[in-house]
Amino acid sequence: MNSDLCKRLGIEFPLFAFSHCRDVVAAVTNAGGMGVFGAAMMSPEELEEELSWIDAQVKGKPYGVDLIVPNKFEAKGEDLSDAEILAMVPEGHKDFASALLQQHGLEPGDLEPARADRLVFRKNISAEGARRSLDVAFSHPIALIANALGLPPQDMLERGKAQGVAVGALVGTAQHARAQVAAGVDVIIAAGGEAGGHTGEVSTMVLVPEVVQAIAGSGVPVLAAGGIATGGQMAAAMAMGAAGAWCGSVWLTTAEAETNP
Ligand SMILES: Cc1cc2nc3c(=O)[nH]c(=O)nc-3n(C[C@H](O)[C@H](O)[C@H](O)COP(=O)(O)O)c2cc1C
């Protein structure tokens, strides 16, 4: 279990915990794995607060941050105000969302504030928003920064190299993995169709060996993601050539998670 990747990142075993909950991130890092804080929906100010809290808990042990930073930004709709964007949400969608909650015995309440909250994501993926999130992340003693979708921008790769922070990227096909390696990414996370969050449709069992083979000889380690929740599954992924496991869903039910029951 104590692979080259573990030595490089300073962890005891190659188990990576993607979570939006800082307590999960700190608990896994303190246990000898690596917590990776999912921050795509967080303002730079919130990110600063959360990472400072994690720093205080882990006391120098390695953890990571996961962002969604676009490789290029076309500024589509940049001139629209938040109110104009919210006004574009169709009434049919609003009725659907309220009815869905009611069908399951949940109080729909006022969904408008929740929709307004989500607009932070739009800011984060703008050129300026992405730069601010990266500034915050790189001002903390992170060991890994992962990009959830597509090739990381050059700036992210260069800052990673300059500060000795490994840059990771999630992929759903072998072709994506080859492109990421050519771009200079340090760690590939091969996320099968079973994975929570957005991925391709190839299952983990098929994708992991395919990605391992596609980038063999590059020296870039592959982490397996998607449907992994037990030690047996982690060992199976490693038997297929993965350097470790990257899990998300399994942490949602832990005592440390803030997930609504
Ligand atoms: C609720 C939830 C939200 C997620 N959001 C992101 C995200 O913002 N960025 C990202 O890189 N991956 C995200 N993921 C995917 C995880 O990084 C990981 O690849 C996935 O959870 C692994 O599969 P598993 O859920 O079967 O363990 C999310 C996963 C879950 C469960």
Side-chain angles (χ1 to χ4, degrees), residues 16-20 36-41 66-68 121 146-149 169-170 189-199 204 224-229 246-252:
F16 293 74
F18 171 92
S19 177
H20 295 114
V36 181
F37 189 60
M41 304 298 280
D66 179 289
L67 296 169
I68 301 183
F121 179 59
N147 196 29
L149 289 173
L170 278 84
I189 300 114
E194 299 92 321
H198 300 280
T199 62
T204 306
I228 301 174
W246 172 286
C247 308
S249 297
V250 69
W251 314 110
L252 295 172

Side-chain angles (χ1 to χ4, degrees), residues 58-162:
V58 303
K59 301 184 180 69
K61 288 209 180 80
Y63 71 95
V65 170
D66 179 289
L67 296 169
I68 301 183
V69 187
N71 187 262
K72 71 172 186 230
F73 180 66
E74 294 190 358
K76 278 187 207 154
E78 204 181 17
D79 48 337
L80 294 172
S81 69
D82 286 359
E84 283 170 317
I85 293 198
L86 286 173
M88 288 163 74
V89 178
E91 288 306 316
H93 167 78
K94 293 181 185 170
D95 295 344
F96 165 78
S98 297
L100 188 66
L101 291 176
Q102 274 166 338
Q103 264 168 33
H104 293 278
L106 297 167
E107 176 48 51
D110 185 2
L111 288 171
E112 274 313 291
R115 289 193 187 97
D117 265 1
R118 304 311 257 186
L119 288 172
V120 70
F121 179 59
R122 168 179 176 246
K123 297 194 180 88
N124 284 355
I125 60 167
S126 72
E128 170 63 9
R131 191 193 53 73
R132 289 185 64 205
S133 299
L134 286 173
D135 283 348
V136 173
F138 279 109
S139 71
H140 288 264
I142 54 171
L144 172 89
I145 189 156
N147 196 29
L149 289 173
L151 296 176
Q154 198 54 32
D155 175 43
M156 184 168 167
L157 290 161
E158 282 166 10
R159 291 171 86 166
K161 296 255 176 304

